[in-house]
Amino acid sequence: MAAVLGAAWALLAAAFLAALLLVLVRRAAARPSGGGFGVVSGLFQDLIRYGKTKRGCGQRPAWLRLLQVPKRWFTHFYVVSVLWNGFLLIWLFRAEFLGESLPSWIQHMHHALGRDSQSEDTAGSEHFSALLVLLLLWLHSCRRLAECLWTSVFSSGVIHIVQYCFGIVYYVAVGSTVLCQVPTNVRNGKELSVQISWYHIVGVVMYIWASLHQHRCLVILANLRKSESGKVISLSHSVPFGDWFESVSCPHYFAELLIYVSMAITLGFHNVTWWCVVMYVLFNQALAAVLCHEFYQKNFSSYPRHRKALIPFIF
């Protein structure tokens, strides 16, 4: 395991877990979410909320409002991911199948992140697993970019500039994490023996299943703002129904978590670094889901009480 990468993702997961616990404790204490924040508390709320959930911050200071960008800039995350992870995918493909060496700067990145190029050669199935996961990650980014451009209807919601920069760095880091699961010398000029294992099939099937549901849920959200002819008629928020929305408030976040779990399965279950990534995704999506769930409950008196925030019947 690339020790530096694993530690970094674990630390990031712990940070979001701490933020989630703070939000849950505050809610359990029944403290009002609007107004009356100190500088530190106000900044914390501004950093963890985005879009419609920023309404829970109350009136924010003018200097905080200067540090925000449109939520529709989420599109930039996927542009970066498609370009960067596509670039890594091409290089890894060439290294695995054509016996070419990875660029020197990628090898330096491997060393910096704790991957030893002289480590024992891993099994062919593990090399294929990394290549497959990088492909799945790239396809996921392509789909999300297409949805941002042609499916989603963004309101006037905003995100903090720190959240925006973090999102850009995240999609660069997650692809680099996959690449670092193989040594820099890759195959030493040997041809890659494609060994399809049962966990590859399970992982890909789960990935397709979760991706289809995520797309359906995003279409449902978009259709709330469109007429039957497909014309945008409103940018207000409404209660969504259908598909996984019948069980949770944020099924698209739940699907995102399942997509990353499917990649962990595709890597063969045992990749500790990627499970740290999954833990980060879990706590990150849980935090966003709790705030979104809270928004729905506060703004819609008839909101279905049986719905959970993120995971059906559990959380």
Side-chain angles (χ1 to χ4, degrees):
M1 179 186 78
V4 175
L5 270 177
W9 284 111
L11 183 62
L12 197 57
F16 275 87
L17 173 60
L20 174 62
L21 292 176
L22 284 174
V23 169
L24 293 176
V25 168
R26 183 181 180 85
R27 188 173 67 171
R31 294 180 61 185
S33 58
F37 285 129
V39 174
V40 175
S41 180
L43 180 59
F44 170 72
Q45 293 292 330
D46 207 41
L47 284 173
I48 65 172
R49 296 173 182 268
Y50 59 85
K52 60 180 175 290
T53 64
K54 275 195 179 291
R55 297 181 183 181
C57 291
Q59 184 63 34
R60 290 172 290 135
W63 67 274
L64 277 180
R65 293 196 297 273
L66 292 174
L67 300 175
Q68 61 189 30
V69 296
K71 183 186 174 184
R72 64 175 60 90
W73 283 17
F74 269 23
T75 306
H76 300 171
F77 299 165
Y78 304 112
V79 172
V80 170
S81 184
V82 168
L83 294 176
W84 172 252
N85 294 317
F87 171 77
L88 294 183
L89 181 62
I90 290 172
W91 272 110
L92 185 57
F93 180 88
R94 292 173 64 174
E96 295 284 13
F97 287 98
L98 304 180
E100 297 184 9
S101 298
L102 294 173
S104 58
W105 63 270
I106 291 183
Q107 297 187 37
H108 293 321
M109 179 182 70
H110 271 65
H111 290 304
L113 295 175
R115 164 60 73 177
D116 182 5
S117 64
Q118 301 303 318
S119 60
E120 294 183 5
D121 192 25
T122 53
S125 60
E126 294 186 13
H127 285 262
F128 178 66
S129 296
L131 183 64
L132 182 56
V133 168
L134 192 55
L135 173 62
L136 294 179
L137 181 63
W138 181 74
L139 290 174
H140 176 60
S141 301
C142 289
R143 177 179 62 81
R144 291 294 294 117
L145 175 59
E147 289 166 343
C148 285
L149 293 174
W150 297 299
T151 300
S152 298
V153 180
F154 292 103
S155 65
S156 58
V158 297
I159 58 175
H160 197 282
I161 188 64
V162 171
Q163 294 172 312
Y164 174 75
C165 294
F166 178 84
I168 296 292
V169 173
Y170 167 77
Y171 281 101
V172 172
V174 74
S176 302
T177 298
V178 178
L179 187 65
C180 285
Q181 302 315 299
V182 292
T184 54
N185 56 9
V186 190
R187 300 297 297 169
N188 286 319
K190 302 175 184 177
E191 290 186 7
L192 175 64
S193 176
V194 177
Q195 302 174 15
I196 299 178
S197 302
W198 64 270
Y199 51 81
H200 294 146
I201 298 173
V202 172
V204 170
V205 169
M206 183 177 179
Y207 169 89
I208 294 173
W209 173 66
S211 297
L212 287 174
H213 278 284
Q214 187 177 58
H215 177 71
R216 289 174 185 170
C217 291
L218 291 171
V219 169
I220 290 173
L221 286 174
N223 286 342
L224 291 175
R225 296 175 172 177
K226 297 178 181 179
S227 64
E228 293 184 359
S229 63
K231 181 180 179 180
V232 177
I233 57 176
S234 173
L235 294 181
S236 61
H237 298 284
S238 305
V239 178
F241 292 92
D243 205 78
W244 287 354
F245 278 110
E246 299 303 321
S247 300
V248 293
S249 295
C250 302
H252 46 311
Y253 296 163
F254 179 51
E256 186 80 2
L257 172 61
L258 293 181
I259 287 170
Y260 279 83
V261 170
S262 74
M263 294 179 188
I265 294 173
T266 305
L267 285 170
F269 290 96
H270 62 274
N271 192 295
V272 179
T273 299
W274 195 259
W275 280 113
C276 290
V277 175
V278 172
M279 294 306 295
Y280 156 74
V281 173
L282 169 61
F283 297 132
N284 173 280
Q285 299 296 279
L287 176 60
V290 164
L291 296 174
C292 187
H293 187 65
E294 180 184 73
F295 170 85
Y296 282 127
Q297 290 179 321
K298 287 185 176 180
N299 289 276
F300 300 98
S301 58
S302 59
Y303 192 71
R305 294 184 178 183
H306 69 275
R307 289 189 189 180
K308 299 296 183 180
L310 179 67
I311 303 175
F313 312 112
I314 299 175
F315 177 79

